[in-house]
Amino acid sequence: MKRTIIALVCGLVAPLAFAQTSTTTTEETTSTRPSTTTTTTTTYEAGTVSTYEPGKTIVVRGEQGPVSFALGTAANIVDAAGKVVTAPLRSGQRVRVYYTGPTEHRTVERVIVEE
């Protein structure tokens, strides 16, 4: 009887003893290049839409006059609640255009429709 129990225990433990173990390799890299810090400021222009071409340009008439922006693929058009606006913008709608970069290289990040 003892031999039978010992044989059963050995039979159950043997597969665990021969189980495949996993190996994890960690690679650490060190950069010798000096780090640079880039500061990006976001500005906005508020006004009414003069013209709008989806995915191309938007012209906003603000306090300083009309300002043209090139819309890239990353520009999001949302309402005040943050929901994506699917309808094209109409002339006369109040918007805020948030952008980065200097005047000649403005990158539009998002357009918020205020109405």
Side-chain angles (χ1 to χ4, degrees):
M1 180 75 158
K2 287 184 180 182
R3 286 187 185 192
T4 307
I5 293 175
I6 292 175
L8 285 174
V9 170
C10 289
L12 293 174
V13 174
L16 298 176
F18 296 109
Q20 186 178 20
T21 60
S22 63
T23 304
T24 304
T25 304
T26 305
E27 183 176 316
E28 185 176 316
T29 59
T30 305
S31 175
T32 57
R33 296 181 1 206
S35 64
T36 58
T37 303
T38 304
T39 303
T40 304
T41 57
T42 302
T43 323
Y44 73 89
E45 182 72 33
T48 58
V49 175
S50 293
T51 58
Y52 172 68
E53 292 181 55
K56 294 183 181 179
T57 60
I58 184 173
V59 178
V60 176
R61 182 173 304 277
E63 292 178 4
Q64 290 92 19
V67 181
S68 178
F69 298 94
L71 296 172
T73 56
N76 294 322
I77 300 175
V78 297
D79 62 10
K83 295 180 182 176
V84 175
V85 174
T86 56
L89 299 176
R90 298 179 320 272
S91 181
Q93 278 186 302
R94 294 205 45 80
V95 295
R96 277 190 185 196
V97 179
Y98 289 85
Y99 63 93
T100 58
T103 303
E104 58 277 349
H105 299 292
R106 286 180 270 204
T107 303
V108 175
E109 291 183 348
R110 70 184 180 277
V111 178
I112 298 179
V113 180
E114 293 181 342
E115 352 183 280

